[in-house]
């Protein structure tokens, strides 16, 4: 049976769309038929991260409104077999997302795909609430910063009260934590929370730690899910997170602090 996974966060800028693209590609690489949907109506970015912006003809809202069939809006990834993208509209507002319309699209996707990844906007506005409503499982994407963690805690409360599973009294949405942009140097200086601190606050299972890396920005600019970059430390983090999500026993490895060269150390001391 297919599962709906919402990638969500309380705060913007935590790498949620990057994580949605990487997570979806990771599942597809393991042989699962996977589709990733952009719920950020009006501010779509998923198509850019996935490198398919020039292939968008119809979108999520066109399908909801009956202006296009689902198979007309779905874009098959050219690099990863079993992976598809459902982009959203840049010109509509989030009121175009209706519970009935979204539910109908998701039920149709369930007939074809093993995993439906919902790339949610940050916060708790309409698009975000619509993305999490149909979720079977949720990946909470957060940075090790107190404002990000606090907002994620708020999202957990919303998941427990406003999802369809909560409304209908079913088993709760299964929650996972993905810690992104983890910088060991900043943690050592006390500028970021330790992993243990984040886990104590949120109290949900950790599936991965994604280190801060310039390769993430590079991959986004190239329109490639970073998990496809074999040289990227972030790619290894995402691959391991997908494995843990699927139930594989993989030890959580903490990113190592990179050693500075002599010139970098001199600059650091004079900064």
């Amino acid at each position: 049976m297919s599962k709906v996974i919402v990638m969500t966060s309380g705060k913007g800028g935590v790498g949620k769309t990057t994580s949605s693209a990487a997570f979806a590609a990771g599942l597809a690489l393991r042989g699962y038929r996977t589709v990733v949907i952009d719920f950020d109506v009006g501010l779509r970015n998923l198509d850019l991260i996935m490198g398919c912006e020039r292939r968008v003809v119809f979108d999520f809202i066109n399908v909801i409104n009956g202006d296009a069939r689902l198979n007309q809006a779905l874009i098959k990834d050219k690099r990863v077999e079993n992976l598809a993208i459902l982009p959203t509209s840049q010109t509509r507002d989030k009121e175009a997302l209706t519970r009935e319309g979204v539910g109908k699209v998701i039920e149709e996707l369930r007939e074809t795909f093993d995993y439906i990844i919902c790339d949610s906007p940050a916060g708790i506005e309409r698009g975000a609430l619509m993305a999490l409503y149909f979720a079977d499982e949720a990946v909470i994407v957060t940075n090790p910063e107190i404002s990000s963690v606090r907002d994620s805690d708020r999202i957990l409360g919303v998941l427990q009260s406003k999802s369809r599973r909560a409304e209908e009294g079913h088993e709760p949405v299964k929650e996972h934590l993905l810690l992104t942009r983890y910088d060991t140097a900043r943690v050592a200086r006390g500028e970021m929370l330790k992993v243990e601190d984040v886990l104590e606050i949120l109290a949900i299972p950790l599936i991965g730690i994604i280190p801060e890396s310039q390769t993430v920005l590079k991959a986004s600019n190239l329109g490639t899910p970073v998990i496809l970059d074999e040289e990227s430390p972030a790619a290894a983090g995402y691959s391991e997170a997908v494995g843990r999500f699927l139930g594989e026993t993989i030890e959580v490895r903490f990113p190592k602090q990179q050693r500075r060269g002599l010139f970098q150390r001199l600059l650091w001391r004079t900064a």
Side-chain angles (χ1 to χ4, degrees), residues 22 35 39 58 75 110 118 148 160-161 163 181 185 252 261 264:
V35 60
F39 273 80
F58 296 107
I75 300 172
R110 282 184 184 274
C118 300
S148 179
Q160 294 161 8
S161 61
S163 67
R181 305 193 67 176
V252 177
Q264 288 176 309

Side-chain angles (χ1 to χ4, degrees), residues 3-271:
K3 288 186 177 180
V4 178
I5 315 300
V6 63
M7 307 289 290
T8 184
S9 67
K11 187 176 181 291
V14 300
K16 182 172 40 51
T17 297
T18 295
S19 297
S20 296
F23 212 82
L27 288 168
L29 287 170
R30 282 171 165 76
Y32 294 98
R33 297 168 298 170
T34 307
V35 60
V36 55
I37 310 173
D38 191 344
F39 273 80
D40 202 356
V41 180
L43 294 173
R44 79 180 190 204
N45 284 310
L46 180 64
D47 57 313
L48 291 172
I49 300 293
M50 299 294 291
C52 63
E53 68 276 10
R54 296 183 180 180
R55 298 171 61 197
V56 178
V57 178
F58 296 107
D59 57 51
F60 191 16
I61 303 304
N62 291 138
V63 178
I64 288 175
N65 291 340
D67 300 325
R69 297 188 302 275
L70 181 58
N71 61 2
Q72 291 178 299
L74 284 172
I75 300 172
K76 291 185 178 180
D77 191 89
K78 293 182 178 181
R79 299 151 300 197
V80 182
E81 191 177 359
N82 300 318
L83 179 60
I85 303 96
L86 181 56
T88 197
S89 173
Q90 273 187 310
T91 58
R92 307 291 183 89
D93 60 39
K94 292 177 174 59
E95 296 303 315
L97 290 172
T98 64
R99 186 173 292 184
E100 181 181 4
V102 172
K104 185 176 180 181
V105 172
I106 286 179
E107 288 307 310
E108 189 172 348
L109 289 170
R110 282 184 184 274
E111 298 174 5
T112 305
F113 294 96
D114 300 310
Y115 286 100
I116 301 163
I117 308 298
C118 300
D119 179 25
S120 167
I124 52 174
E125 46 79 45
R126 184 179 182 84
L129 292 175
M130 202 64 67
L132 67 80
Y133 181 75
F134 295 96
D136 298 309
E137 301 192 37
V139 175
I140 312 300
V141 184
T142 188
N143 296 157
E145 300 172 355
I146 191 61
S147 60
S148 179
V149 174
R150 182 183 64 181
D151 290 348
S152 293
D153 192 43
R154 176 77 188 281
I155 287 294
L156 290 173
V158 174
L159 277 167
Q160 294 161 8
S161 61
K162 295 187 179 296
S163 67
R164 182 169 67 174
R165 285 176 168 267
E167 285 188 359
E168 297 178 355
H170 297 312
E171 185 177 341
V173 174
K174 188 175 181 180
E175 299 157 343
H176 312 270
L177 174 63
L178 183 65
L179 194 58
T180 55
R181 305 193 67 176
Y182 190 83
D183 187 327
T184 51
R186 293 187 65 190
V187 171
R189 295 196 299 268
E191 297 172 5
M192 282 185 166
L193 296 174
K194 297 178 181 178
V195 174
E196 296 83 358
D197 296 331
V198 178
L199 292 175
E200 184 177 353
I201 295 169
L202 297 181
I204 59 175
L206 176 70
I207 59 167
I209 302 173
I210 312 301
E212 180 74 86
S213 173
Q214 290 297 318
T215 59
V216 174
L217 178 60
K218 178 183 176 182
S220 296
N221 288 337
L222 293 174
T224 302
V226 70
I227 198 171
L228 301 182
D229 181 357
E230 295 180 357
E231 302 300 318
S232 170
Y238 279 117
S239 181
E240 291 177 2
V242 171
R244 293 187 195 97
F245 173 83
L246 293 172
E248 299 173 16
T249 302
I250 303 173
E251 183 181 357
V252 177
R253 295 184 298 175
F254 289 79
K256 294 181 180 179
Q257 183 173 347
Q258 294 184 346
R259 298 185 63 181
R260 296 185 180 89
L262 175 61
F263 184 64
Q264 288 176 309
R265 291 199 300 271
L266 288 172
L267 285 177
W268 172 253
R269 288 171 183 170
T270 58

